[in-house]
Amino acid sequence: MSKRNFFNITESTPQGVKKFYFLDYFLILLQSCNISDDPQKIFTVFKTLKEKERLGESKYKKLIIDDSEELSDSQVARYKYTFKQVISESLSCGLLNEKEHLLSLTKKGRNTLNIGLRDKRAFYDVILKILEKKYSAFYHLIKLCYEQNSSKNGLLIFPIYSPRKLGFDKKEMKTNNHLIKYSNKLRVTLEKDIEKFLSVKMSLKEPEKELIKKLIDDDILVSGDLDNLFNSLKYNAIIGRFRKFWLNYFLNEIYEYPFSFTTFNIWVERGKQLGVIHTTEFYPNFDGRLVYPTSIIVEDNKNNDLVKAYDYGQGEFLFIHKPKWKNNKNKFIDTLHNSYFDLKNNKRTNFIRISDLREKVCYKLKLPTFIFNNFLQETYNESLKGETKIQISLEADRLPQETSAMYLKREPVIINNQQKNIIAIDYKK
Protein backbone atom coordinates (compact mmCIF):
# COMPACT_ATOMS: atom_id res chain seq x y z
CA MET A 1 0.00 0.00 0.00
CA SER A 2 1.04 3.62 -0.45
CA LYS A 3 3.40 5.38 1.96
CA ARG A 4 2.18 8.62 3.45
CA ASN A 5 3.89 11.82 4.48
CA PHE A 6 0.96 13.88 5.71
CA PHE A 7 1.39 13.26 9.45
CA ASN A 8 3.09 16.59 9.86
CA ILE A 9 0.82 18.56 12.17
CA THR A 10 2.96 18.43 15.31
CA GLU A 11 0.17 19.43 17.69
CA SER A 12 -2.06 16.61 16.45
CA THR A 13 -2.84 13.94 19.06
CA PRO A 14 -5.70 11.68 17.90
CA GLN A 15 -4.71 9.09 20.50
CA GLY A 16 -5.45 11.56 23.30
CA VAL A 17 -9.20 11.24 22.77
CA LYS A 18 -11.27 9.97 25.70
CA LYS A 19 -13.23 6.73 25.53
CA PHE A 20 -16.77 7.65 24.55
CA TYR A 21 -18.50 7.68 21.18
CA PHE A 22 -21.61 9.84 21.41
CA LEU A 23 -21.04 13.55 20.90
CA ASP A 24 -24.31 14.21 22.72
CA TYR A 25 -22.39 13.48 25.92
CA PHE A 26 -20.77 16.90 25.54
CA LEU A 27 -24.20 18.51 25.38
CA ILE A 28 -25.73 16.71 28.36
CA LEU A 29 -22.63 17.48 30.46
CA LEU A 30 -22.88 21.18 29.57
CA GLN A 31 -26.59 21.08 30.46
CA SER A 32 -25.76 19.43 33.77
CA CYS A 33 -23.03 21.97 34.61
CA ASN A 34 -25.47 24.77 33.81
CA ILE A 35 -27.64 23.58 36.70
CA SER A 36 -24.98 23.11 39.38
CA ASP A 37 -21.24 23.34 39.96
CA ASP A 38 -21.16 20.44 42.43
CA PRO A 39 -19.84 17.26 40.71
CA GLN A 40 -22.24 14.99 42.62
CA LYS A 41 -25.29 17.03 41.62
CA ILE A 42 -23.93 17.33 38.09
CA PHE A 43 -23.60 13.54 37.94
CA THR A 44 -27.22 13.11 39.05
CA VAL A 45 -28.47 15.33 36.23
CA PHE A 46 -26.02 13.76 33.76
CA LYS A 47 -27.29 10.28 34.65
CA THR A 48 -30.92 11.35 34.11
CA LEU A 49 -30.18 12.99 30.74
CA LYS A 50 -28.09 10.00 29.68
CA GLU A 51 -31.06 7.69 30.23
CA LYS A 52 -33.44 10.11 28.54
CA GLU A 53 -31.27 10.25 25.43
CA ARG A 54 -30.76 6.44 25.58
CA LEU A 55 -27.00 6.78 25.40
CA GLY A 56 -25.41 3.36 25.89
CA GLU A 57 -21.96 2.52 27.17
CA SER A 58 -20.95 1.29 23.71
CA LYS A 59 -21.33 2.93 20.29
CA TYR A 60 -24.98 1.85 20.22
CA LYS A 61 -27.96 3.61 21.72
CA LYS A 62 -30.28 1.78 24.08
CA LEU A 63 -33.63 0.61 22.78
CA ILE A 64 -35.50 1.24 25.99
CA ILE A 65 -35.30 3.73 28.82
CA ASP A 66 -34.41 2.18 32.15
CA ASP A 67 -37.29 3.14 34.44
CA SER A 68 -35.83 1.43 37.49
CA GLU A 69 -35.13 3.85 40.33
CA GLU A 70 -31.95 2.11 41.44
CA LEU A 71 -28.97 1.33 39.24
CA SER A 72 -26.74 -1.60 40.07
CA ASP A 73 -23.26 -0.93 41.43
CA SER A 74 -21.74 -1.99 38.12
CA GLN A 75 -24.06 0.36 36.19
CA VAL A 76 -23.16 3.27 38.46
CA ALA A 77 -19.45 2.47 38.02
CA ARG A 78 -19.82 2.49 34.22
CA TYR A 79 -21.82 5.72 34.29
CA LYS A 80 -19.20 7.39 36.49
CA TYR A 81 -16.40 6.21 34.22
CA THR A 82 -18.11 7.77 31.18
CA PHE A 83 -18.93 10.88 33.23
CA LYS A 84 -15.26 11.35 34.16
CA GLN A 85 -14.14 10.76 30.56
CA VAL A 86 -16.52 13.43 29.23
CA ILE A 87 -15.46 15.87 31.96
CA SER A 88 -11.79 15.29 31.17
CA GLU A 89 -12.21 15.94 27.46
CA SER A 90 -14.51 18.91 28.04
CA LEU A 91 -11.88 20.47 30.30
CA SER A 92 -9.11 19.93 27.79
CA CYS A 93 -11.28 21.35 24.99
CA GLY A 94 -11.96 24.53 26.98
CA LEU A 95 -15.67 23.94 27.53
CA LEU A 96 -15.38 23.73 31.32
CA ASN A 97 -13.33 25.17 34.16
CA GLU A 98 -12.46 23.27 37.32
CA LYS A 99 -11.61 25.13 40.52
CA GLU A 100 -11.49 23.61 44.00
CA HIS A 101 -13.27 20.51 42.70
CA LEU A 102 -16.18 22.58 41.35
CA LEU A 103 -17.09 22.68 37.64
CA SER A 104 -18.32 25.67 35.69
CA LEU A 105 -18.99 26.55 32.07
CA THR A 106 -16.44 28.65 30.21
CA LYS A 107 -17.62 31.29 27.76
CA LYS A 108 -16.95 28.80 24.96
CA GLY A 109 -18.88 26.14 26.87
CA ARG A 110 -21.89 28.41 27.40
CA ASN A 111 -21.97 29.46 23.75
CA THR A 112 -21.73 25.82 22.67
CA LEU A 113 -24.56 24.87 25.04
CA ASN A 114 -26.81 27.64 23.72
CA ILE A 115 -26.20 26.49 20.15
CA GLY A 116 -26.92 22.88 21.12
CA LEU A 117 -30.21 23.77 22.77
CA ARG A 118 -31.32 25.58 19.60
CA ASP A 119 -30.01 23.31 16.85
CA LYS A 120 -28.38 19.88 17.25
CA ARG A 121 -26.79 19.90 13.78
CA ALA A 122 -25.27 23.35 14.41
CA PHE A 123 -23.97 21.98 17.73
CA TYR A 124 -22.20 19.16 15.86
CA ASP A 125 -20.63 21.72 13.51
CA VAL A 126 -19.21 23.60 16.50
CA ILE A 127 -17.99 20.40 18.17
CA LEU A 128 -16.24 19.43 14.92
CA LYS A 129 -14.24 22.68 14.98
CA ILE A 130 -13.37 22.23 18.65
CA LEU A 131 -12.24 18.63 18.24
CA GLU A 132 -10.31 19.17 15.02
CA LYS A 133 -8.47 22.16 16.47
CA LYS A 134 -7.33 20.04 19.40
CA TYR A 135 -6.64 16.66 17.74
CA SER A 136 -6.54 17.07 13.91
CA ALA A 137 -7.81 13.48 13.95
CA PHE A 138 -9.98 13.79 10.85
CA TYR A 139 -7.14 15.39 8.91
CA HIS A 140 -5.21 12.17 9.40
CA LEU A 141 -8.12 9.82 8.93
CA ILE A 142 -9.60 11.34 5.78
CA LYS A 143 -6.23 11.63 4.06
CA LEU A 144 -5.43 8.06 5.03
CA CYS A 145 -8.62 6.84 3.37
CA TYR A 146 -7.94 8.59 0.07
CA GLU A 147 -4.25 7.69 0.04
CA GLN A 148 -4.93 4.01 0.66
CA ASN A 149 -7.75 3.53 -1.84
CA SER A 150 -8.06 6.48 -4.21
CA SER A 151 -9.65 4.33 -6.93
CA LYS A 152 -12.68 3.68 -4.73
CA ASN A 153 -12.98 7.13 -3.15
CA GLY A 154 -11.27 6.25 0.10
CA LEU A 155 -13.05 2.99 0.93
CA LEU A 156 -11.49 0.94 3.73
CA ILE A 157 -12.68 -2.61 4.35
CA PHE A 158 -12.48 -4.70 7.51
CA PRO A 159 -13.78 -8.16 6.56
CA ILE A 160 -15.07 -10.41 9.32
CA TYR A 161 -15.91 -14.05 8.60
CA SER A 162 -17.19 -16.46 11.21
CA PRO A 163 -16.43 -20.18 10.74
CA ARG A 164 -20.07 -20.72 9.87
CA LYS A 165 -19.90 -18.13 7.08
CA LEU A 166 -16.99 -20.05 5.57
CA GLY A 167 -18.74 -23.41 5.80
CA PHE A 168 -17.50 -24.67 9.17
CA ASP A 169 -20.08 -25.96 11.65
CA LYS A 170 -19.28 -25.07 15.25
CA LYS A 171 -20.39 -28.51 16.48
CA GLU A 172 -17.94 -30.20 14.12
CA MET A 173 -14.96 -27.96 14.92
CA LYS A 174 -13.13 -29.92 17.62
CA THR A 175 -9.50 -30.42 16.62
CA ASN A 176 -6.44 -28.31 15.81
CA ASN A 177 -6.86 -29.39 12.21
CA HIS A 178 -10.32 -27.80 12.05
CA LEU A 179 -8.89 -24.48 13.28
CA ILE A 180 -6.01 -24.66 10.78
CA LYS A 181 -8.43 -25.33 7.92
CA TYR A 182 -10.60 -22.41 9.04
CA SER A 183 -7.50 -20.21 9.20
CA ASN A 184 -6.43 -21.20 5.69
CA LYS A 185 -9.85 -20.55 4.18
CA LEU A 186 -10.14 -17.27 6.06
CA ARG A 187 -6.75 -16.12 4.78
CA VAL A 188 -7.65 -16.96 1.15
CA THR A 189 -10.99 -15.15 1.49
CA LEU A 190 -9.29 -12.06 2.90
CA GLU A 191 -6.79 -12.06 0.02
CA LYS A 192 -9.70 -12.10 -2.46
CA ASP A 193 -11.39 -9.20 -0.65
CA ILE A 194 -8.20 -7.15 -0.73
CA GLU A 195 -7.88 -7.67 -4.47
CA LYS A 196 -11.58 -6.94 -5.10
CA PHE A 197 -12.03 -3.87 -2.92
CA LEU A 198 -8.53 -2.40 -2.68
CA SER A 199 -7.25 -3.39 -6.13
CA VAL A 200 -4.13 -4.93 -4.56
CA LYS A 201 -2.94 -8.50 -4.99
CA MET A 202 -1.05 -9.69 -1.93
CA SER A 203 -0.29 -12.84 0.03
CA LEU A 204 -1.25 -13.10 3.70
CA LYS A 205 0.63 -16.35 4.33
CA GLU A 206 3.29 -14.73 6.51
CA PRO A 207 0.87 -12.94 8.87
CA GLU A 208 -1.17 -16.15 9.05
CA LYS A 209 1.97 -17.99 10.19
CA GLU A 210 2.48 -15.28 12.80
CA LEU A 211 -1.09 -15.76 14.06
CA ILE A 212 -0.73 -19.54 14.26
CA LYS A 213 2.56 -19.16 16.14
CA LYS A 214 0.89 -16.89 18.69
CA LEU A 215 -1.88 -19.44 19.20
CA ILE A 216 0.71 -22.18 19.71
CA ASP A 217 2.74 -20.01 22.11
CA ASP A 218 -0.44 -19.42 24.14
CA ASP A 219 -1.17 -23.17 24.27
CA ILE A 220 -4.35 -22.83 22.23
CA LEU A 221 -2.92 -24.98 19.43
CA VAL A 222 -0.43 -27.80 19.83
CA SER A 223 2.36 -27.74 17.25
CA GLY A 224 2.47 -30.81 15.00
CA ASP A 225 -0.57 -32.47 16.58
CA LEU A 226 -3.41 -31.65 14.22
CA ASP A 227 -5.72 -34.32 15.63
CA ASN A 228 -5.45 -32.96 19.16
CA LEU A 229 -8.68 -31.56 20.60
CA PHE A 230 -8.81 -27.90 21.57
CA ASN A 231 -10.79 -26.66 24.56
CA SER A 232 -14.32 -26.28 23.20
CA LEU A 233 -15.22 -24.00 26.11
CA LYS A 234 -12.79 -21.48 24.65
CA TYR A 235 -14.26 -21.67 21.14
CA ASN A 236 -15.65 -18.11 21.08
CA ALA A 237 -12.45 -16.71 22.59
CA ILE A 238 -10.33 -18.53 20.00
CA ILE A 239 -12.42 -17.27 17.08
CA GLY A 240 -12.23 -13.82 18.68
CA ARG A 241 -8.44 -14.05 18.51
CA PHE A 242 -8.65 -14.61 14.73
CA ARG A 243 -10.97 -11.65 14.34
CA LYS A 244 -8.89 -9.28 16.48
CA PHE A 245 -5.66 -10.26 14.75
CA TRP A 246 -6.92 -9.62 11.23
CA LEU A 247 -8.74 -6.39 12.11
CA ASN A 248 -5.54 -5.01 13.61
CA TYR A 249 -3.51 -6.31 10.68
CA PHE A 250 -5.73 -4.47 8.19
CA LEU A 251 -5.63 -1.25 10.22
CA ASN A 252 -1.95 -1.15 11.17
CA GLU A 253 -0.18 -3.11 8.43
CA ILE A 254 -2.29 -2.70 5.29
CA TYR A 255 -3.61 0.82 5.96
CA GLU A 256 -0.66 1.90 8.13
CA TYR A 257 -2.82 3.72 10.67
CA PRO A 258 -0.32 4.60 13.41
CA PHE A 259 -2.72 4.54 16.35
CA SER A 260 -4.73 1.84 18.11
CA PHE A 261 -7.94 0.22 16.93
CA THR A 262 -9.69 1.81 19.91
CA THR A 263 -8.60 5.28 18.77
CA PHE A 264 -9.66 4.49 15.21
CA ASN A 265 -13.10 3.30 16.34
CA ILE A 266 -13.78 6.38 18.43
CA TRP A 267 -12.91 8.80 15.63
CA VAL A 268 -14.79 6.85 12.98
CA GLU A 269 -17.96 6.73 15.08
CA ARG A 270 -17.67 10.40 15.98
CA GLY A 271 -16.96 11.24 12.35
CA LYS A 272 -20.17 9.50 11.29
CA GLN A 273 -22.20 11.74 13.60
CA LEU A 274 -20.42 14.82 12.23
CA GLY A 275 -20.84 13.81 8.59
CA VAL A 276 -17.13 13.52 7.72
CA ILE A 277 -16.89 9.71 7.73
CA HIS A 278 -19.37 6.91 7.14
CA THR A 279 -19.02 3.54 8.79
CA THR A 280 -21.27 0.49 8.77
CA GLU A 281 -21.14 -3.12 9.87
CA PHE A 282 -24.31 -3.91 7.95
CA TYR A 283 -23.61 -3.17 4.30
CA PRO A 284 -25.76 -5.56 2.23
CA ASN A 285 -23.88 -8.68 1.08
CA PHE A 286 -20.61 -7.71 2.75
CA ASP A 287 -19.30 -9.51 5.81
CA GLY A 288 -17.55 -7.01 8.02
CA ARG A 289 -17.19 -3.27 8.24
CA LEU A 290 -16.90 -0.54 5.63
CA VAL A 291 -15.41 2.88 6.31
CA TYR A 292 -15.25 5.71 3.77
CA PRO A 293 -15.10 9.53 3.82
CA THR A 294 -18.10 11.72 3.10
CA SER A 295 -15.80 14.74 3.10
CA ILE A 296 -12.60 15.88 1.47
CA ILE A 297 -9.56 17.99 2.36
CA VAL A 298 -8.46 20.32 -0.44
CA GLU A 299 -6.98 23.74 -0.97
CA ASP A 300 -9.70 24.94 -3.33
CA ASN A 301 -13.27 23.87 -4.06
CA LYS A 302 -15.82 24.98 -6.64
CA ASN A 303 -18.41 22.27 -5.94
CA ASN A 304 -21.44 23.81 -4.25
CA ASP A 305 -22.36 20.43 -2.74
CA LEU A 306 -19.22 20.55 -0.60
CA VAL A 307 -19.60 22.79 2.45
CA LYS A 308 -16.55 24.21 4.25
CA ALA A 309 -16.37 22.81 7.79
CA TYR A 310 -12.84 23.59 9.00
CA ASP A 311 -9.81 25.72 8.07
CA TYR A 312 -6.48 24.06 8.89
CA GLY A 313 -4.68 27.37 8.57
CA GLN A 314 -2.12 26.07 6.08
CA GLY A 315 -4.05 26.47 2.85
CA GLU A 316 -6.13 23.33 3.31
CA PHE A 317 -9.81 23.11 4.20
CA LEU A 318 -12.18 20.35 5.27
CA PHE A 319 -15.32 20.20 3.14
CA ILE A 320 -18.29 17.97 4.01
CA HIS A 321 -20.54 16.60 1.29
CA LYS A 322 -23.87 18.32 2.03
CA PRO A 323 -25.70 18.46 -1.29
CA LYS A 324 -28.78 20.67 -1.67
CA TRP A 325 -32.05 18.90 -2.35
CA LYS A 326 -33.17 21.10 -5.25
CA ASN A 327 -29.91 20.49 -7.14
CA ASN A 328 -29.74 16.75 -6.48
CA LYS A 329 -33.37 15.67 -6.43
CA ASN A 330 -33.36 13.66 -9.65
CA LYS A 331 -30.00 12.04 -8.96
CA PHE A 332 -31.09 10.97 -5.48
CA ILE A 333 -34.44 9.59 -6.62
CA ASP A 334 -32.81 7.61 -9.46
CA THR A 335 -30.19 6.17 -7.10
CA LEU A 336 -32.85 5.39 -4.49
CA HIS A 337 -34.98 3.61 -7.07
CA ASN A 338 -32.12 1.63 -8.61
CA SER A 339 -30.73 0.63 -5.22
CA TYR A 340 -34.17 -0.50 -4.09
CA PHE A 341 -34.45 -2.91 -7.01
CA ASP A 342 -30.90 -4.15 -6.43
CA LEU A 343 -31.96 -5.16 -2.92
CA LYS A 344 -35.44 -6.36 -3.84
CA ASN A 345 -34.21 -8.95 -6.36
CA ASN A 346 -35.06 -12.51 -5.31
CA LYS A 347 -37.27 -11.32 -2.46
CA ARG A 348 -40.89 -12.41 -2.24
CA THR A 349 -42.10 -9.17 -0.71
CA ASN A 350 -42.00 -5.66 -2.10
CA PHE A 351 -40.83 -4.29 1.24
CA ILE A 352 -37.15 -4.10 2.21
CA ARG A 353 -35.33 -2.59 5.17
CA ILE A 354 -34.83 1.15 4.86
CA SER A 355 -31.51 0.77 6.71
CA ASP A 356 -30.22 -1.53 3.94
CA LEU A 357 -31.38 0.91 1.28
CA ARG A 358 -29.72 3.78 3.11
CA GLU A 359 -26.39 1.94 3.12
CA LYS A 360 -26.52 1.39 -0.64
CA VAL A 361 -27.49 4.97 -1.45
CA CYS A 362 -25.04 6.56 0.99
CA TYR A 363 -22.19 4.54 -0.49
CA LYS A 364 -23.10 5.33 -4.11
CA LEU A 365 -23.58 9.06 -3.47
CA LYS A 366 -21.12 9.40 -0.55
CA LEU A 367 -23.81 10.93 1.64
CA PRO A 368 -23.79 11.42 5.40
CA THR A 369 -26.69 9.52 6.96
CA PHE A 370 -28.51 12.68 8.08
CA ILE A 371 -28.53 13.95 4.48
CA PHE A 372 -30.05 10.65 3.30
CA ASN A 373 -32.73 10.91 5.98
CA ASN A 374 -33.60 14.46 4.91
CA PHE A 375 -33.66 13.54 1.23
CA LEU A 376 -35.84 10.49 1.80
CA GLN A 377 -38.36 12.62 3.65
CA GLU A 378 -38.37 15.14 0.79
CA THR A 379 -38.86 12.32 -1.72
CA TYR A 380 -41.66 10.74 0.29
CA ASN A 381 -43.54 14.02 0.74
CA GLU A 382 -43.26 14.86 -2.96
CA SER A 383 -44.40 11.34 -3.77
CA LEU A 384 -47.52 11.86 -1.67
CA LYS A 385 -48.27 14.99 -3.71
CA GLY A 386 -47.75 13.10 -6.98
CA GLU A 387 -44.70 15.23 -7.85
CA THR A 388 -42.27 12.35 -8.47
CA LYS A 389 -42.08 9.54 -10.99
CA ILE A 390 -42.13 6.96 -8.19
CA GLN A 391 -44.52 5.95 -5.44
CA ILE A 392 -43.20 5.20 -1.97
CA SER A 393 -44.78 3.17 0.81
CA LEU A 394 -43.26 3.39 4.28
CA GLU A 395 -44.19 1.22 7.23
CA ALA A 396 -43.09 1.04 10.84
CA ASP A 397 -43.15 -2.78 10.70
CA ARG A 398 -42.09 -4.05 14.13
CA LEU A 399 -40.81 -1.23 16.31
CA PRO A 400 -37.39 -1.72 17.86
CA GLN A 401 -38.97 -1.27 21.32
CA GLU A 402 -40.98 -4.43 20.66
CA THR A 403 -37.93 -6.58 20.03
CA SER A 404 -35.83 -8.38 22.59
CA ALA A 405 -32.65 -6.53 21.59
CA MET A 406 -30.93 -4.33 24.17
CA TYR A 407 -29.18 -1.89 21.84
CA LEU A 408 -30.16 -0.09 18.67
CA LYS A 409 -27.44 -1.17 16.28
CA ARG A 410 -28.84 0.58 13.21
CA GLU A 411 -30.03 4.15 13.25
CA PRO A 412 -33.76 4.49 12.59
CA VAL A 413 -35.13 6.71 9.85
CA ILE A 414 -37.57 9.35 11.09
CA ILE A 415 -40.00 10.54 8.42
CA ASN A 416 -42.37 13.34 9.39
CA ASN A 417 -41.64 12.64 13.07
CA GLN A 418 -42.48 8.94 12.74
CA GLN A 419 -40.03 6.05 12.79
CA LYS A 420 -40.10 3.94 9.64
CA ASN A 421 -38.32 0.62 9.15
CA ILE A 422 -39.39 -0.81 5.79
CA ILE A 423 -40.00 0.66 2.34
CA ALA A 424 -41.53 -0.29 -1.00
CA ILE A 425 -41.00 1.70 -4.21
CA ASP A 426 -42.74 1.49 -7.56
CA TYR A 427 -43.21 3.59 -10.67
CA LYS A 428 -46.18 5.94 -10.53
CA LYS A 429 -49.16 4.52 -12.41
Side-chain angles (χ1 to χ4, degrees):
M1 304 298 285
S2 61
K3 299 291 182 181
R4 303 179 312 282
N5 58 5
F6 53 79
F7 289 90
N8 56 2
I9 300 182
T10 56
E11 61 271 21
S12 172
T13 54
Q15 73 276 21
V17 68
K18 298 304 177 182
K19 293 182 180 179
F20 61 95
Y21 298 95
F22 292 114
L23 298 172
D24 286 5
Y25 275 128
F26 284 114
L27 183 55
I28 68 172
L29 178 62
L30 294 177
Q31 288 177 271
S32 304
C33 291
N34 196 41
I35 293 174
S36 175
D37 60 1
D38 176 37
Q40 188 56 48
K41 293 179 180 178
I42 293 171
F43 176 68
T44 300
V45 179
F46 180 87
K47 180 176 62 177
T48 301
L49 292 174
K50 173 179 163 55
E51 284 296 316
K52 182 181 178 182
E53 296 297 325
R54 303 182 181 183
L55 301 179
E57 301 308 308
S58 67
K59 61 186 178 183
Y60 302 120
K61 286 194 174 184
K62 292 182 178 180
L63 277 169
I64 59 175
I65 297 176
D66 188 354
D67 293 325
S68 61
E69 294 183 4
E70 294 295 330
L71 296 173
S72 68
D73 291 343
S74 62
Q75 282 179 307
V76 172
R78 291 198 302 270
Y79 279 35
K80 285 188 174 178
Y81 175 80
T82 302
F83 178 63
K84 290 176 181 177
Q85 292 285 295
V86 184
I87 288 176
S88 178
E89 191 161 351
S90 297
L91 286 168
S92 66
C93 287
L95 297 171
L96 297 180
N97 279 326
E98 184 176 30
K99 187 176 182 180
E100 297 179 352
H101 304 294
L102 299 178
L103 295 170
S104 61
L105 297 174
T106 62
K107 182 178 179 181
K108 181 197 290 188
R110 190 166 298 283
N111 289 339
T112 304
L113 171 61
N114 291 336
I115 291 170
L117 294 175
R118 292 196 307 267
D119 184 338
K120 182 67 73 66
R121 185 47 55 186
F123 168 78
Y124 287 153
D125 292 341
V126 171
I127 289 295
L128 170 58
K129 291 181 173 66
I130 291 171
L131 295 178
E132 197 64 348
K133 182 177 181 180
K134 178 172 178 57
Y135 301 106
S136 294
F138 297 123
Y139 182 88
H140 289 169
L141 191 51
I142 293 164
K143 287 212 167 187
L144 176 141
C145 289
Y146 286 115
E147 287 280 339
Q148 294 297 350
N149 198 1
S150 59
S151 65
K152 289 188 171 61
N153 296 310
L155 173 68
L156 304 184
I157 61 164
F158 296 90
I160 300 171
Y161 294 99
S162 65
R164 183 179 179 183
K165 192 68 182 181
L166 297 181
F168 296 90
D169 192 312
K170 178 180 179 180
K171 294 179 181 179
E172 297 177 359
M173 290 186 69
K174 299 178 180 180
T175 68
N176 288 340
N177 192 38
H178 291 133
L179 290 178
I180 295 297
K181 286 184 176 179
Y182 164 64
S183 180
N184 292 161
K185 190 163 186 179
L186 175 59
R187 185 249 311 159
V188 171
T189 306
L190 294 177
E191 289 172 347
K192 290 179 180 178
D193 281 345
I194 291 171
E195 185 172 5
K196 177 180 179 181
F197 293 101
L198 305 180
S199 303
V200 175
K201 193 166 185 176
M202 63 187 301
S203 170
L204 298 177
K205 287 184 179 180
E206 288 305 314
E208 184 190 19
K209 289 179 183 177
E210 178 187 341
L211 170 58
I212 297 300
K213 183 179 184 302
K214 287 182 179 180
L215 295 176
I216 291 173
D217 291 343
D218 293 341
D219 294 325
I220 293 172
L221 293 177
V222 178
S223 178
D225 191 357
L226 295 180
D227 293 327
N228 192 53
L229 300 177
F230 64 83
N231 187 344
S232 61
L233 296 177
K234 295 183 178 180
Y235 176 84
N236 290 335
I238 294 170
I239 300 306
R241 287 283 296 270
F242 280 93
R243 180 185 183 211
K244 183 178 180 180
F245 176 87
W246 285 116
L247 287 177
N248 278 287
Y249 184 83
F250 269 72
L251 182 68
N252 301 134
E253 301 301 325
I254 294 180
Y255 303 137
E256 301 174 18
Y257 187 71
F259 308 110
S260 70
F261 214 101
T262 297
T263 297
F264 176 79
N265 275 335
I266 292 172
W267 285 117
V268 165
E269 294 298 333
R270 289 185 177 190
K272 183 176 182 179
Q273 296 165 67
L274 295 169
V276 300
I277 291 280
H278 186 82
T279 179
T280 177
E281 296 171 352
F282 304 99
Y283 192 84
N285 301 317
F286 181 79
D287 294 282
R289 184 182 192 182
L290 300 185
V291 174
Y292 58 86
T294 49
S295 58
I296 192 168
I297 296 171
V298 291
E299 294 183 0
D300 187 34
N301 165 62
K302 296 181 180 179
N303 184 343
N304 292 329
D305 289 339
L306 295 170
V307 177
K308 186 184 294 183
Y310 190 76
D311 179 357
Y312 289 101
Q314 53 184 15
E316 292 182 299
F317 303 90
L318 171 64
F319 290 88
I320 299 177
H321 190 214
K322 295 181 179 179
K324 303 294 187 297
W325 168 247
K326 64 179 181 179
N327 299 330
N328 291 270
K329 169 182 171 180
N330 292 335
K331 184 177 182 180
F332 178 81
I333 292 176
D334 287 342
T335 305
L336 185 77
H337 185 252
N338 292 337
S339 299
Y340 167 78
F341 277 99
D342 285 346
L343 293 168
K344 182 183 172 294
N345 281 342
N346 303 319
K347 292 186 181 294
R348 295 180 180 179
T349 175
N350 288 327
F351 281 95
I352 64 169
R353 292 190 187 93
I354 297 179
S355 52
D356 287 344
L357 181 60
R358 178 171 56 192
E359 296 297 355
K360 294 279 283 188
V361 174
C362 283
Y363 178 70
K364 289 181 179 180
L365 298 180
K366 299 299 179 287
L367 293 178
T369 54
F370 66 89
I371 296 291
F372 172 91
N373 295 346
N374 292 340
F375 279 16
L376 181 61
Q377 179 168 290
E378 293 281 0
T379 305
Y380 178 65
N381 289 337
E382 291 195 10
S383 169
L384 291 177
K385 298 175 186 176
E387 297 175 354
T388 63
K389 62 184 178 183
I390 61 174
Q391 291 179 319
I392 295 179
S393 297
L394 297 174
E395 298 291 343
D397 192 24
R398 185 173 57 165
L399 293 176
Q401 289 87 342
E402 297 171 341
T403 72
S404 59
M406 182 177 295
Y407 291 105
L408 181 63
K409 293 190 175 182
R410 308 184 75 176
E411 298 173 32
V413 175
I414 308 299
I415 303 295
N416 300 331
N417 297 317
Q418 293 184 332
Q419 183 172 309
K420 302 296 183 181
N421 296 314
I422 58 175
I423 185 170
I425 301 176
D426 200 357
Y427 283 112
K428 186 168 63 176
K429 296 179 181 179

